[in-house]
Each structure stands twice: as structure tokens, then as C-alpha cells.
Amino acid sequence: MTPASTSILIPRQPLLWLSAALLCLVPTFLGNIVVWAPLVFLCSLLAKFWMDRRDRRLRSLPLKVALSLAAIGGVFATYGSPRSVEFGVTLLVTLASLKILESHNAKDFHVLIMVGWVLCLCAFLLAEDFGVALCVLAAFVLLVGALVQFHRHSGPAGTLWPPLVTTLKLLLQALPIVALLFFFFPRGGGAMQLQFLGQPSDSVGFSGKLSPGSVSSIASSDDLAFRAEFPDGTIPSPRNLYWRGAVLWHGDGLNWDVGSGPGHAQANQRRSGIAIRQRITIEPHGGRWLFALDRPLNAPPGITLGPGRYLQSVRPISSIRRYEVLSAPEASESNLNPRERTASLRLPSALSPDVRALVHTWTATTPEPRAIVTAALEFFRTKGFVYSLSPGHYVGVDALDELLFRRKSGFCEHYAAGFATLMRVAGIPSRIVVGYLGGEFNQYGNYLVVRQSDAHAWCEVWLPESGWTRVDPTSVIAPERLYLGSLRDMQTTSVQRQPIAGSARTSSLPPGGVLSEVRQAWDTVSYAWDSRVLPFDLEGQREFLMASGLETISGMSQLLWIAAAAAFLLGAYTLVSLRRSRTPRDAVRQLYETFCRKASRVGATRSVTEGPADFAQRACALLPGEAARIQRIVSSYIALRYAPNPSRSIVQTFAADVDAFTGRST
Amino acid sequence: MRDYIDAFTRQIGEVIVGKAEAVKLAVSCLLARGHLLIEDIPGVGKTTLSQALARSLGVGFQRIQFTSDLLPADILGNSIFDREQQRFTFHPGPLFSQVALIDEVNRATAKTQSALLQAMEENRISADGITYDLPEPFFVIATQNPQHQVGTFPLPESQLDRFLMRIELGVPDRASERAMLLGMDRREILKELKPVFTMETLREIQAAVRKVHTSPALLDYLQDLLDASRQRHTTGLSPRAGLALLHGSQSWALMHGRDMVLPEDIQAVGIAVMAHRLGHDVRQPGESGRTLAEALLRTVPVP
């Protein structure tokens, strides 16, 4: 940094660019770090412009120290421990805000640009979806632009395009190197060992257990759960899109969880009917659950099958994960092993006589399990149960009674839990499956989007003739739930709405939905990002290298190759730019230089300050044999270079003359 | 047109013997509508040259001898009370002519010299709060003695910058001096000089000068010179100096029968245009402006 840089003030134009870049970063922080940090950031940007107008700035050192201490104290107070990414990023954001207030000269400006780049990186640490990528890209471009603009400040003020063009050129030149590094730079194994505070598992949506009443906010959550492609082209009808997440064996009233379970699943599943292949790209949630259509047949590498046939990742899912799985909707087991039977018949600790009496009214009429199931469904259908997302809390030992006999209001989780408990009381083995139901079909990308609001819970009962059979009590209480899929839709559409047949949820979109089209298009691009760019980790890279026949190269030699390729690229750029810097002087000048070189070889050296006419005169005297040609060459040169409206045809004769010129008398 | 210019130059050359280069520069300066400063020791023909120029131009001229007691009103004019009309009437001074020959301009005090400033730049003067336009065209041809002579007031930079060129005559060579000694009295020759131009011809030529083509390559060279002077010297050449260089070289090119300016034209007028503007550099106190201008031309490459 030159000493002059402390005396050069930041011109307005680059400051605007820098601010725009920083503004682009703000949305990436919203929702990922504590909300006051981006707000402080915004305020200090505004304050900077306010102060700039009035030629003020933060000067007093005690004030600066006090503000910094306040900022650090605030971050500590918010996060407590400094051992998380959020803490670090928040600290950086707040201190950057203060730097904005303080910045005044060229050095500060450069520091801010660097800070901006670091913040770009931080944004990726917090989230890496496509929206964030776009924001970061915009910020990055603007930062480079600000730097370019800053160093052009001697030029006319207010120019927008030249710096932008320079910036784009720079970035375009960087593109091959970016691609090179992306594809070939050796990836580290696994994700970075960073500690995140708010694991996405804390957020609403799917969780590994069932405790109704805690999840009514699901309905409003539009967060993505996963996306599914169907490579074979067979997409089940929307009423069969049951995405199996976990099987809950252990229930106590309305609260269910995975419990100890009956041990691992046996491979005694009969495969029948069609198998549906799905390629699923799941968002990171910090847990280990994965999803597949009811019911998965196989476990892809790194994934195990839990008791009750559900997928479970070996490692927690902390980054976007892609896997392919085969499901058979009609698969069933032939027999129930004793441990499973015990686990699926275990009764809750407390059961009221009312419940027993209710179940007894069914078992007394028929011993046939199927008939009991039908009777129970009939009970739910006819006894005035309502589907409600805000039924209030069911607490205490008589929560089940409260649901069944008094309040009669709830959503899928309540009914699944209640139904499963009733079945167990009736002696029918039952369990709860949690997952998602339905999904939104994206017509651009030809895949299904499943959101947190699609979360669902249903029952499975063991029937001797058909094995584990899916029973969804919610379907008899609120049939629309099955067709419309989303809980959110349930709130907004009337219950009388006719069930809509057809593929997934496309038909249930509001008419004239330009907005939803845009949303789908955006999601398609976003999906491409999530499924092609983000999962390109160590594994993806290895596959790519294998596919391109470079698998033998690895480790150190890979680095060397990259360095060589990058050096080659840079060398090529340098050569091109060197040539470029000479060519604008056009062919005429080059030819004249050739002529001067040739003349110099035979004793007539042009001095750099010598004009063409003077040189011609001197050269003619020195080389009388070539005098005529020299005169011709120089007069063509003068005509081309100094005369008004030079005719391009002279270039030909000029070139020919220079070519023929040897300096020796002919 | 070129014949006129040649005839003009030849006629001056008959009066000032053996100073072809200086005469050509003087002519090109006038054709470029610039004021001319002739500087040299007494007795080398400064006044003769200026008179020859004025007479050959075919326009009216006035001669003013500057002295240390000369007052601005002496050159601008006076308001004198007219007894019959009962009011002041303005009696224009000797500056109200198309060519003002100012002899020994550096003998006058700064006050009088500054009265010249407005006249030279704006072609008009202010006296008693009223602004009067000077005739068009208006030239100042000034002569001065070198500054180290006794009883001189150096011209301020601002005024020097207003002279398009400063030329030096120098002692004639032996042959020329012999011819002069043998020839007619210079004053006799001057009296017999006939105007070569009419006013219209002069205007045409001056218009043609500005139309001489300057290619981008040439302007590059010109600007390189200006930039170099600004990097090397404290003040450097002003934008007005750049214009002077442009117009001077255009005029020079036209005098040599070309419709475009070559780097050689700039080099030819370069010393005359640049030297007097570079002579005040505090960084190089010992160097004369001429040396600095030569250094510029010697080092800035022709692109």
C-alpha cells in the first residue's frame, strides 16, 4: 500500500458499487444469523451515506473502541460461546459494519473490498442454495467492479459501462480457471468440521418422533424437504405418494417414537408388482433420516434399512445428499416375527376404561382384523371428527380420551397415533410411519418437490393375509388432504372442494398462476444447482475423473497438473494481451516498424523522435540506391497515418514495398 | 494560395537577409492568428522584421515604443472633454489598429504590460469602464531585449503564454552580413514594400490553416509532448500551449504545401512555441526554456 493511499479519499462512484455489493450480501445473512446483525449492517451503510453527504466520519478513537466493544459484547451475549460458525460470521458482519462507518481513504476501501470477499465466503458457510449463490455472485461481481471503478477514478466520473465491461472481462477470463479448479482440485473428504448452532433439524417439519401439538407451525413452512426424480418415468398417482421416513414402534397415548424397535428388518419381503426408481436429492437437516416411496426395497451405499423398512443414513446429513432407491408400493411381508409382533402390540402404560370399552364394541362383533380396521375407520368418519391444524395441546395421561371422546379435533399425527393405539388395544399389530405425503410436480424439471408442509403421519397394521398394510385415518376425516397434499392448502381451501384426480399437485395450482410458474422455473434452476453443483464432492469428483479416464491421477500429481494448466492459461492470456496491446496500432504501424528495422540493418537507423519525412530524407541520402522505394514507402505511410481519409488500398502497395525493401541497391 | 504565402515570405526575406527560418516562423505565426514575440539583442533587425511583416500584410499598423514611463492610457486611448459637445469623447490609442508593433515590450512597467493582456486574448480593451472591440484581425508583434539587459521588466508568464511564438534572430552569418552591408538602406527598402495580401486573402489563408488535417496519430504525438512537459516541469505546458502547437504546426504544414500535419511540422515550430513557456521552471533554474524545449523534442518519441 503506497503512502498516498491514506490521503486518497473514496470517490462516490466506487463507494456506491461497494455498497451495492454489500447490500447483495444482506439477504444471505437474514435468517441464518441473529437478525440484528444484518440490521446493524444496513443501518451503518445508510449512516455512511448520510455522513458522506455532510463530509463527516467516525474519528474519535474512544468512540470506535466503545462501539467495537459493544459489538463484540452483543455477539457474545447472543451466542454465548464463540465456538460456532454463526458466532464468527455475526462478529465479522458487525465489525464490518463498524468498518464501513470508519472507512475514509483508499486503504480503508481496499480493506472493505477484502472484507466483502470474506463475507461472500461466509455466506456460503451458512447456506449454499441457489439463491445464496446468486446473491454472492452479484456481490462478487460488484466488488470487483468497485475495485475497477476505484482505480479508474482519474477517468471521467459517472461512467458506468467501461468499468462494468472491464469487470466482466476479468471474470470471463477467470472462468476457465474456476472450471478447472471446480472439476479437478482435490476435494477434502467429507464436510468441513464446523459447528453449527441451529441445526436445520430444529426447524419445523419432519422429526424422528411424534408428539402432536408441537408441529402446527409446519403448515406455514414452505421449506424444501427434498426433490425426487423418477428416472424410469413412472410417477405414482398423488394419492400414493407416501414418502416413508421413519417407523415408530413405541407409543404412549399420542406420543410416539422409534423406541428400541424390534431390531433390524428381515429380508423376507416379497417383491411384487412394479418397482419405482427414485433419485432423491435431500436438503441437509442434520439428522440421519432419509426418504423413499413406500416401501424401499434396497438400501443404497452408506444407508441402512431401519426396522420397519425405512432408510437411515449412516452419517448425519449435513450437506445436500443424492441417492437412488427402488421402491415397491405393493411389496409385503409374508410373516411377522415374534419380536416385531411384541413391539407392535405393546400397549401404552395407561389406558382408560372408555378406550377399552370402545375397542370392545368392535372386537365383540367380529374377530376379523380387517373388519375391526373398517369399524375403527367408520368410527373416525362418523363421530364428528374434524381436521384442524390448531386443535390445542393434548397433554396428560388422558390425552387419547380427550381426542377420541371430547375434543375430536386434530391433524394427521393425532389420528395416526390414536388409531394405532386403538388397533393395539384390539390386538392388531400396528405401527406409525412418519414421512411426507404428496409433493408438487415441477413441469419444467419433471421432478417432484416435497416441502416441509407436506409432512404426514399414517398407520400400518398387520393383517395376516396381506402383511403390513397402510391405513391412513386422516384420509377418512379429511379426504382432501390426500389429494391436495399440503397442509397449507388445507387451510385455504374449503373442505367441500371436490377431490381432484390427476397428477400430483399441478392441477391444484391456482389458475393463471404466473407466480407459480415463476416459482417452478426458479425451483428447476435451483434443483439443477442442488443436484449437479453442490453434490460434486469427493465422491462426485472421483466419479467424474473415472468417467473422463483420469482416475489414475491423484493427490500431488493432480495439484501439479492443475498448476500446469493454470500456468498455461495465464501464459496464454498474457500472450494475447501483449499482442492485443500492439495490434491496435494497426498493421500500418507494424509495417512501418518492419521497414525501419530493415533500414536499420543497412545503416539507416531512425531515431525515435524522427518524423517520417525527415527520416525518408536522411535514408535516401544514406541509401541512394533505394531512394525511390524509400520515398514511396514513406509517402504511403504518411498518407495512411497522417492524411485525411486515407484509402485502404494504399495498404497493399505499402505492404508490398516494405516487403520488397532490402536496403541494398538493385 | 500557396503562391501568396511564398511571395509574402520571399518579400520579407529580401529585407531580412539570411534568416529564412526565423522569417518562415514569423509568417506561420501570423497565419495561425497568433501574436509574435521577437527577442534578441539590439541591432539584429527585430524592428525591421516586424515592420516588414506589418507592411507586407496589407493592413493598418501602429508602432508603439514601450518605455518605463508609459501608462496604459497611452496605448489604450484617453477620454478627453469635448468643450463643444459638453461631454467626454474617447480618443482611441495606438492599440486600435490591425497590427500593433510594440518595440521593446519589456521596457514598460507591469501595469502597462497588463493592459496589453486583455487586448491580446480577447481582441478588445476596456477603458473608463467601457469595452471597445479591436479591429479584426488583430496582431501584436512585439520585440524585446534579453532580460539581463539593464532597465527591463520581465514579462509575466501569463503574458508570455499569450504569444503564440517567440523567435530569435541572431547575428547574421558572414555572407548575409556582407550582403546587408553592401545593399540598400533597410529603411529605404521598408518604405518601398508593397502589401502582398488583401484582407480577404489573409482571412482565407487563416481559415485554411485551421482546416489542415491532424490525424489521431499526430494528436497522440502532440499530447505526448504536453504530458512529458507536465511530468518533467513544475508548470508544464498549458492547454493554450497545446493549441498554439497545433495551430502553429498547421500553419507550418500549409506553408509547405501540405493538407496534413506531420510530426516534423510540430518539431519545426516546437522550439518557437514551447521555449518561452518553459523558461520559468523552478526545478531547473539554470536551464533556459530553449534547452528544455529541445530536450522535449529530443526525447519524446514519434508514435
Side-chain angles (χ1 to χ4, degrees):
Chain A
M1 203 105 350
T2 57
S5 63
T6 49
S7 60
I8 299 172
L9 306 185
I10 308 174
R12 194 164 176 76
Q13 201 82 9
L15 188 68
L16 278 172
W17 283 64
L18 177 68
S19 311
L22 296 178
L23 272 182
C24 281
L25 285 173
V26 169
T28 66
F29 295 126
L30 289 175
N32 289 319
I33 57 175
V34 67
V35 75
W36 58 260
L39 285 182
V40 167
F41 194 72
L42 272 179
C43 289
S44 68
L45 264 183
L46 287 177
K48 172 72 188 160
F49 274 98
W50 186 83
M51 294 195 304
D52 220 37
R53 262 301 149 65
R54 286 153 189 79
D55 202 24
R56 288 191 200 160
R57 68 190 165 110
L58 205 55
R59 282 170 207 271
S60 127
L61 187 65
L63 185 60
K64 283 186 203 173
V65 172
L67 280 175
S68 311
L69 286 179
I72 295 170
V75 178
F76 260 102
T78 312
Y79 286 102
S81 132
R83 291 192 331 183
S84 69
V85 175
E86 282 86 352
F87 175 88
V89 176
T90 312
L91 192 65
L92 203 62
V93 170
T94 21
L95 292 183
S97 323
L98 295 182
K99 184 72 195 167
I100 293 171
L101 286 184
E102 185 210 35
S103 62
H104 182 60
N105 56 31
K107 190 172 134 246
D108 296 330
F109 180 78
H110 286 102
V111 168
L112 271 182
I113 296 273
M114 300 296 161
V115 168
W117 276 326
V118 173
L119 287 178
C120 285
L121 194 70
C122 289
F124 265 134
L125 286 181
L126 295 171
E128 41 186 22
D129 60 67
F130 187 64
V132 169
L134 271 191
C135 284
V136 169
L137 181 70
F140 189 87
V141 172
L142 287 168
L143 282 172
V144 177
L147 208 54
V148 170
Q149 176 76 265
F150 183 80
H151 287 286
R152 286 175 54 99
H153 62 78
S154 53
T159 46
L160 176 68
W161 282 113
L164 200 62
V165 167
T166 314
T167 306
L168 292 180
K169 258 188 212 161
L170 279 174
L171 293 176
L172 216 62
Q173 285 170 354
L175 206 59
I177 296 179
V178 169
L180 183 78
L181 292 177
F182 177 78
F183 284 115
F184 296 107
F185 192 83
R187 305 272 165 152
M192 274 183 281
Q193 294 304 307
L194 294 169
Q195 190 189 346
F196 287 89
L197 275 183
Q199 285 290 10
S201 60
D202 289 357
S203 64
V204 294
F206 183 86
S207 68
K209 56 179 187 280
L210 203 68
S211 50
S214 59
V215 284
S216 59
S217 50
I218 293 174
S220 57
S221 167
D222 223 6
D223 287 353
L224 193 67
F226 60 89
R227 299 185 183 93
E229 273 182 86
F230 300 91
D232 296 340
T234 42
I235 305 174
S237 68
R239 63 187 316 163
N240 283 326
L241 283 170
Y242 279 88
W243 299 97
R244 198 175 182 86
V247 177
L248 313 179
W249 295 85
H250 176 257
D252 189 7
L254 292 182
N255 292 323
W256 285 68
D257 57 42
V258 176
S260 51
H264 277 274
Q266 276 81 50
N268 61 352
Q269 186 156 347
R270 280 198 313 264
R271 187 178 158 177
S272 60
I274 50 158
I276 298 167
R277 189 180 301 279
Q278 312 129 63
R279 193 175 291 146
I280 291 171
T281 310
I282 189 165
E283 297 290 303
H285 52 60
R288 290 164 58 202
W289 52 82
L290 295 170
F291 302 91
L293 274 183
D294 221 13
R295 287 167 208 170
L297 284 172
N298 61 330
I303 297 172
T304 57
L305 273 181
R309 299 202 84 83
Y310 62 96
L311 298 180
Q312 209 169 15
S313 170
V314 176
R315 276 184 284 118
I317 298 155
S318 52
S319 61
I320 283 193
R321 173 96 167 259
R322 248 164 103 76
Y323 56 93
E324 202 174 285
V325 67
L326 207 59
S327 294
E330 286 158 31
S332 62
E333 291 86 349
S334 48
N335 57 341
L336 186 67
N337 70 40
R339 273 184 305 163
E340 279 190 345
R341 177 176 290 278
T342 323
S344 57
L345 279 173
R346 193 176 292 133
L347 290 175
S349 49
L351 267 180
S352 70
D354 287 348
V355 173
R356 288 185 190 280
L358 171 69
V359 175
H360 188 72
T361 59
W362 304 331
T363 48
T365 51
T366 171
E368 179 63 26
R370 194 172 284 276
I372 296 174
V373 169
T374 316
L377 286 177
E378 195 60 29
F379 167 75
F380 278 113
R381 190 186 348 253
T382 53
K383 291 289 188 280
F385 286 92
V386 263
Y387 188 93
S388 163
L389 282 171
S390 46
H393 281 274
Y394 290 97
V395 284
V397 285
D398 63 342
L400 186 61
D401 295 63
E402 178 82 19
L403 170 71
L404 292 179
F405 306 118
R406 291 191 282 278
R407 224 182 285 174
K408 296 192 174 183
S409 160
F411 49 90
C412 59
E413 302 203 348
H414 299 98
Y415 294 120
F419 186 83
T421 311
L422 289 176
M423 285 303 104
R424 286 187 177 189
V425 175
I428 301 171
S430 65
R431 59 191 187 188
I432 289 181
V433 184
V434 284
Y436 296 92
L437 171 61
E440 182 182 356
F441 187 75
N442 186 310
Q443 57 201 5
Y444 298 107
N446 215 14
Y447 59 87
L448 207 66
V449 181
V450 179
R451 298 179 191 282
Q452 295 297 3
S453 52
D454 294 326
H456 191 55
W458 62 94
C459 263
E460 278 183 346
V461 293
W462 176 266
L463 302 175
E465 62 273 29
S466 57
W468 284 111
T469 308
R470 182 171 64 219
V471 180
D472 190 350
T474 317
S475 67
V476 299
I477 293 156
E480 317 83 39
R481 170 72 183 90
L482 263 65
Y483 297 107
L484 301 181
S486 163
L487 294 169
R488 187 191 55 248
D489 290 350
M490 280 301 297
Q491 282 183 318
T492 52
T493 56
S494 71
V495 183
Q496 280 77 33
R497 189 163 169 171
Q498 287 299 308
I500 299 158
S503 74
R505 203 144 38 101
T506 43
S507 45
S508 74
L509 288 171
V514 178
L515 209 64
S516 76
E517 299 244 329
V518 170
R519 192 170 107 147
Q520 286 208 353
W522 168 260
D523 194 79
T524 310
V525 182
S526 190
Y527 178 52
W529 170 262
D530 285 356
S531 60
R532 304 273 182 271
V533 181
L534 288 186
F536 193 79
D537 52 4
L538 184 64
E539 207 55 45
Q541 190 176 35
R542 195 175 294 150
E543 278 170 32
F544 172 76
L545 288 178
M546 294 263 258
S548 48
L550 297 167
E551 72 270 36
T552 48
I553 303 168
S554 63
M556 210 51 207
S557 61
Q558 197 173 342
L559 278 179
L560 282 176
W561 275 106
I562 291 171
F568 174 77
L569 265 175
L570 290 179
Y573 285 156
T574 317
L575 268 182
V576 167
S577 74
L578 277 181
R579 283 187 80 86
R580 198 60 79 64
S581 68
R582 227 182 313 147
T583 41
R585 296 289 182 200
D586 71 282
V588 173
R589 186 187 160 83
Q590 263 179 338
L591 283 170
Y592 185 63
E593 276 169 3
T594 312
F595 162 67
C596 292
R597 252 197 323 277
K598 283 183 173 178
S600 172
R601 249 179 262 147
V602 290
T605 309
R606 182 182 85 100
S607 102
V608 283
T609 59
E610 202 168 15
D614 285 351
F615 178 56
Q617 208 178 356
R618 209 161 53 82
C620 287
L622 285 168
L623 310 164
E626 284 275 57
R629 179 164 284 141
I630 291 173
Q631 283 298 351
R632 266 212 309 281
I633 289 175
V634 171
S635 55
S636 320
Y637 175 67
I638 288 175
L640 286 168
R641 203 157 160 71
Y642 295 105
N645 315 317
S647 89
R648 287 281 132 189
S649 60
I650 310 177
V651 179
Q652 305 299 326
T653 53
F654 179 46
D657 275 331
V658 170
D659 204 39
F661 175 75
T662 56
R664 286 169 198 88
S665 313
T666 46
Chain B
M1 190 181 294
R2 179 142 183 237
D3 297 338
Y4 280 111
I5 301 175
D6 282 347
F8 185 77
T9 318
R10 215 178 307 118
Q11 179 163 317
I12 312 282
E14 280 165 17
V15 185
I16 308 293
V17 184
K19 292 286 164 201
E21 200 67 19
V23 168
K24 279 201 312 198
L25 281 172
V27 172
S28 72
C29 177
L30 297 186
L31 297 185
R33 284 190 228 179
H35 306 297
L36 178 66
L37 180 63
I38 309 171
E39 179 182 290
D40 221 318
I41 52 169
V44 291
K46 297 189 297 286
T47 313
T48 317
L49 173 59
S50 59
Q51 292 214 12
L53 285 169
R55 283 175 197 274
S56 308
L57 273 180
V59 292
F61 74 95
Q62 297 268 2
R63 185 171 175 277
I64 315 167
Q65 176 71 42
F66 270 27
T67 57
S68 56
D69 57 356
L70 195 75
L71 292 173
D74 294 337
I75 58 167
L76 302 180
N78 279 309
S79 289
I80 295 169
F81 189 72
D82 189 329
R83 206 175 279 274
E84 286 174 18
Q85 298 189 17
Q86 290 293 307
R87 61 186 184 93
F88 285 98
T89 47
F90 183 70
H91 291 256
L95 216 49
F96 282 85
S97 60
Q98 290 185 304
V99 176
L101 293 182
I102 298 176
D103 255 349
E104 305 198 80
V105 67
N106 58 345
R107 285 206 183 276
T109 53
K111 195 175 178 184
T112 314
Q113 285 174 3
S114 67
L116 258 182
L117 276 181
Q118 191 191 10
M120 288 172 69
E121 190 55 29
E122 300 169 16
N123 276 14
R124 57 188 183 188
I125 59 168
S126 298
D128 297 332
I130 304 165
T131 306
Y132 302 94
D133 283 327
L134 291 174
E136 184 76 27
F138 172 73
F139 292 117
V140 171
I141 303 175
T143 69
Q144 74 169 355
N145 293 322
Q147 317 258 305
H148 51 75
Q149 294 248 325
V150 180
T152 57
F153 298 89
L155 288 176
E157 284 98 326
S158 58
Q159 192 157 352
L160 278 175
D161 203 25
R162 282 167 167 76
F163 285 104
L164 190 122
M165 288 187 196
R166 182 190 69 178
I167 60 171
E168 290 158 22
L169 285 173
V171 184
D173 59 30
R174 210 177 159 81
S176 308
E177 195 161 15
R178 174 71 62 96
M180 199 186 83
L181 292 171
L182 290 175
M184 261 165 63
D185 188 356
R186 298 292 116 182
R187 267 166 289 180
E188 295 300 316
I189 301 178
L190 280 178
K191 270 182 205 158
E192 286 173 18
L193 283 181
K194 298 272 181 301
V196 179
F197 293 157
T198 60
M199 190 79 89
E200 281 66 42
T201 331
L202 181 60
R203 284 202 186 153
E204 269 174 42
I205 293 173
Q206 285 178 336
V209 162
R210 299 290 160 96
K211 284 187 191 137
V212 173
H213 180 72
T214 48
S215 70
L218 182 100
L219 293 174
D220 280 344
Y221 178 54
L222 200 155
Q223 286 189 296
D224 287 349
L225 281 171
L226 298 179
D227 287 345
S229 83
R230 283 162 200 167
Q231 277 162 21
R232 290 178 205 176
H233 310 302
T234 41
T235 42
L237 292 171
S238 64
R240 177 159 48 202
L243 278 174
L245 208 48
L246 183 71
H247 296 155
S249 54
Q250 280 178 317
S251 168
W252 188 267
L254 188 74
M255 280 175 69
H256 291 80
R258 266 183 275 105
D259 60 346
M260 62 196 154
V261 182
L262 294 185
E264 282 86 344
D265 298 323
I266 291 186
Q267 290 170 349
V269 300
I271 305 281
V273 173
M274 297 190 291
H276 61 290
R277 300 166 204 260
L278 292 173
H280 306 272
D281 196 353
V282 291
R283 264 198 253 172
Q284 288 115 322
E287 304 274 343
S288 77
R290 191 183 178 86
T291 332
L292 298 176
E294 277 170 352
L296 273 180
L297 290 176
R298 210 171 45 244
T299 49
V300 176
V302 174

